[in-house]
Amino acid sequence: MIFYLKTLRDAGIYAEGVMLYPEEKRRDEVLLDSSSLKMLNEMVNEINLIMEKEEPPKAQKCKYCKNCGYFEYCYA
């Protein structure tokens, strides 16, 4: 969500987000602040390093993989 908030901010739209977890009856507000921007920039740098490699890293399964919307990209 931080990425989407930054994309909106770059377009001149200043927004805040809310992550809803209905099963846990929890909601977390997401703000675009300096610490979240720093984290996002670090993640983008890591992604760029992976993209520069000749081969992608081996997929590592975890308990969330089977329900992930991106499952096909890792294990197809």
Side-chain angles (χ1 to χ4, degrees):
M1 182 172 291
I2 298 293
F3 175 78
Y4 294 122
L5 291 175
K6 183 181 181 307
T7 302
L8 287 171
R9 190 188 74 180
D10 291 346
I13 301 168
Y14 293 85
E16 297 176 0
V18 177
M19 297 290 292
L20 301 174
Y21 305 93
E23 292 178 4
E24 299 172 20
K25 297 179 180 161
R26 191 179 101 206
R27 61 185 280 143
D28 293 334
E29 289 186 23
V30 181
L31 303 172
L32 189 62
D33 57 10
S34 61
S35 65
S36 60
L37 276 174
K38 181 181 176 188
M39 180 184 66
L40 179 62
N41 287 332
E42 289 172 2
M43 294 171 102
V44 168
N45 289 337
E46 288 179 36
I47 290 168
N48 286 330
L49 289 174
I50 292 170
M51 290 174 50
E52 290 173 2
K53 293 184 176 184
E54 291 290 320
E55 293 185 22
K58 299 281 185 202
Q60 298 175 357
K61 286 188 180 182
C62 70
K63 64 182 179 178
Y64 304 109
C65 287
K66 64 183 175 184
N67 297 320
C68 177
Y70 298 102
F71 182 85
E72 299 132 11
Y73 293 109
C74 296
Y75 301 105

